[in-house]
């Protein structure tokens, strides 16, 4: 049993990791500034430290006060398009903020980290499926900020004995199958929840381009169930706590799905057509991203339990149907 500080544990992937950690018997403390996260997504018996990751003293004090053994660091800005328009904001939040967490860890003597990275570190990949031997060449500031932290980790390992796993997520989607927690970003930008919104009378969806070199012209992505991501985090933690090696791993199903295929799946699952219009490419979007995840299977014994898109969309839809306004905790939300 480990005592784990989950930075960003009130957010989408972090809140699912909190559930998975507790199911595995670990003790959890959440640190979140609630700028994007939701207090109600944190179980009522989990301590919630309301502080920003930039606040080194607050993070350090949480680490010491709760006798933390390991950190899972989810807190970040994640909008690829916004990162192209506001690179400084992204560097400040994702790089400076993560360095603050690492500084607090160093001061508190906490030397185990599971870091949320992304397949956006690869950029436009030389080949697909993508494995970890590809040279990272991000094409947006978001990917650059995650890569910057990944690249700092081995130096901290050498200097300070940090042991880490960085998980390069593909496209997180779906929700806890029991419908208790799910995805609630506002405004929502991600394809599956946007398509659900567009199938249920909300804003129509704009497809960001159909002139990509893919079978139907729309981008290919690898949608990974959020509970499978959470499971990868718990496995990474367990291996590190047992003295296992640091590493960087892809976490995806290896199945590419086009934007049009996602729209068709959402229409089928919801039982109503997704209202859409064709738009132009979104800056910073690579044409095809899907994973070879053999390395994490070998190192951590990880396999996706919900690899099919239909199940992912069903769980996303079940969450949306029972929570049409998400957690309903944002007064600014229409
Ligand atoms: N898309 C649309 N219309 C929309 C929203 C998305 O056509 O309204 C398309 C995008 O162009 C992309 C695909 O649907 O081709 C998926 O887009 P998302 O915004 O759902 O996800 P991204 O692939 O852009 O980004 C997500 C996460 C990032 C992560 C990345 C890795 O937000 O944090 O996956 O691929 F880095």
């Amino acid at each position: 049993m480990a005592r784990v500080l989950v930075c960003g544990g009130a957010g989408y992937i972090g809140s699912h990791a909190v559930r998975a950690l507790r199911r595995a018997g670990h003790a959890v403390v959440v640190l979140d500034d609630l700028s994007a996260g939701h207090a109600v997504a944190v179980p009522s018996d989990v301590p919630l430290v309301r502080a920003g990751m930039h606040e080194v003293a607050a993070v350090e004090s949480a680490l010491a006060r709760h006798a933390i053994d390991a950190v899972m660091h989810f807190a970040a800005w994640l909008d690829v398009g916004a990162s192209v328009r506001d690179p400084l904001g992204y560097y400040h939040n994702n790089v400076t903020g993560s360095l603050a967490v690492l500084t607090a860890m160093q001061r508190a003597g906490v030397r185990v980290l599971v870091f949320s990275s992304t397949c956006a570190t690869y950029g436009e990949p030389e080949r697909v499926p993508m494995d970890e031997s590809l040279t990272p060449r991000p094409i947006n500031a978001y990917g650059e900020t995650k890569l910057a932290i990944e690249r700092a980790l081995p130096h901290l390992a050498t200097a300070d004995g940090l042991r880490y796993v960085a998980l390069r997520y593909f496209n997180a989607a779906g929700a806890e199958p029991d419908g208790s927690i799910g995805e609630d970003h506002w405004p929502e930008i991600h394809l599956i929840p946007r398509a659900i919104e567009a199938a249920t009378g909300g804003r129509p969806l704009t497809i960001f381009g159909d002139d990509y070199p893919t079978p139907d012209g729309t981008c290919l992505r690898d949608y990974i169930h959020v509970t499978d991501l959470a499971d990868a985090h718990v496995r990474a933690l367990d291996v590190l706590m047992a003295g296992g090696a640091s590493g960087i791993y892809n976490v995806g199903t290896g199945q590419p799905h086009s934007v049009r295929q996602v729209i068709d799946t959402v229409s089928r699952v919801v039982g109503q057509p997704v209202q859409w219009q064709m738009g132009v490419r979104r800056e910073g979007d690579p044409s095809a991203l899907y994973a070879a995840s053999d390395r994490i299977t070998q190192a951590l014994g990880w396999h996706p339990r919900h690899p099919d898109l239909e199940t992912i969309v069903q769980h996303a839809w079940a969450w949306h149907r029972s929570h049409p306004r998400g957690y309903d905790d944002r007064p600014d939300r229409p």
Side-chain angles (χ1 to χ4, degrees):
M1 194 273 269
R3 301 184 57 80
V4 186
L5 183 73
V6 182
C7 296
Y12 172 43
I13 305 171
S15 60
H16 286 79
V18 167
R19 298 295 193 290
L21 282 165
R22 279 159 54 93
R23 275 190 213 116
H26 298 296
V28 178
V29 176
V30 167
L31 183 133
D32 202 301
D33 67 1
L34 302 181
S35 57
H38 308 271
V40 285
V42 179
S44 54
D45 56 344
V46 167
L48 169 60
V49 180
R50 190 171 175 174
M53 60 179 159
H54 292 80
E55 299 170 47
V56 177
V59 180
E60 184 185 353
S61 132
L63 293 170
R65 194 158 19 103
H66 294 282
I68 294 296
D69 303 305
V71 171
M72 284 191 182
H73 177 33
F74 294 91
W77 288 358
L78 48 67
D79 181 338
V80 169
S83 81
V84 176
R85 297 187 294 276
D86 179 20
L88 269 182
Y90 270 73
Y91 273 87
H92 176 69
N93 201 65
N94 293 1
V95 178
T96 314
S98 296
L99 294 178
V101 171
L102 288 162
T103 303
M105 288 175 65
Q106 186 184 56
R107 289 187 188 164
V110 177
R111 293 199 170 80
V112 175
L113 173 71
V114 184
F115 176 63
S116 299
S117 189
T118 170
C119 65
T121 51
Y122 292 109
E124 191 68 69
E126 300 143 37
R127 60 172 187 272
V128 282
M130 299 140 68
D131 63 55
E132 296 86 346
S133 69
L134 287 172
T135 307
R137 291 196 192 93
I139 60 167
N140 51 60
Y142 170 73
E144 288 284 6
T145 62
K146 291 289 185 174
L147 184 60
I149 297 305
E150 270 192 15
R151 285 190 161 152
L153 298 176
H155 299 290
L156 292 165
T158 305
D160 204 31
L162 179 76
R163 291 182 314 108
Y164 63 89
V165 165
L167 296 174
R168 290 181 175 164
Y169 311 160
F170 284 66
N171 286 54
E176 188 70 53
D178 70 5
S180 57
I181 52 172
E183 185 166 13
D184 180 8
H185 298 115
W186 189 257
E188 186 52 77
I189 55 164
H190 293 110
L191 180 61
I192 290 175
R194 279 292 293 113
I196 290 174
E197 190 184 342
T200 52
R203 297 171 295 159
L205 180 80
T206 301
I207 298 180
F208 295 141
D210 66 349
D211 57 349
Y212 285 95
T214 60
D216 67 17
T218 65
C219 289
L220 298 175
R221 292 288 182 274
D222 180 337
Y223 295 89
I224 173 78
H225 199 290
V226 65
T227 59
D228 284 326
L229 275 182
D231 175 48
H233 285 77
V234 175
R235 287 171 185 270
L237 173 80
D238 289 345
V239 164
L240 290 171
M241 292 304 294
S246 296
I248 295 179
Y249 305 111
N250 286 342
V251 198
T253 64
Q255 301 297 316
H257 293 285
S258 73
V259 174
R260 284 185 186 276
Q261 285 174 317
V262 170
I263 290 174
D264 290 347
T265 307
V266 170
S267 298
R268 201 165 52 245
V269 167
V270 172
Q272 297 184 78
V274 172
Q275 302 299 325
W276 61 267
Q277 63 209 19
M278 190 52 67
V280 296
R281 291 185 180 198
R282 181 173 66 177
E283 257 188 284
D285 266 349
S287 54
L289 297 172
Y290 53 99
S293 295
D294 307 305
R295 195 190 273 187
I296 190 171
T297 299
Q298 275 157 25
L300 306 183
W302 177 87
H303 291 279
R305 278 176 294 197
H306 301 297
D308 59 303
L309 183 63
E310 188 104 7
T311 307
I312 293 172
V313 171
Q314 278 165 359
H315 292 167
W317 169 231
W319 156 256
H320 181 86
R321 202 168 28 177
S322 58
H323 299 79
R325 292 172 53 80
Y327 292 103
D328 205 10
D329 57 351
R330 298 235 180 272
D332 55 330
R333 186 178 175 146

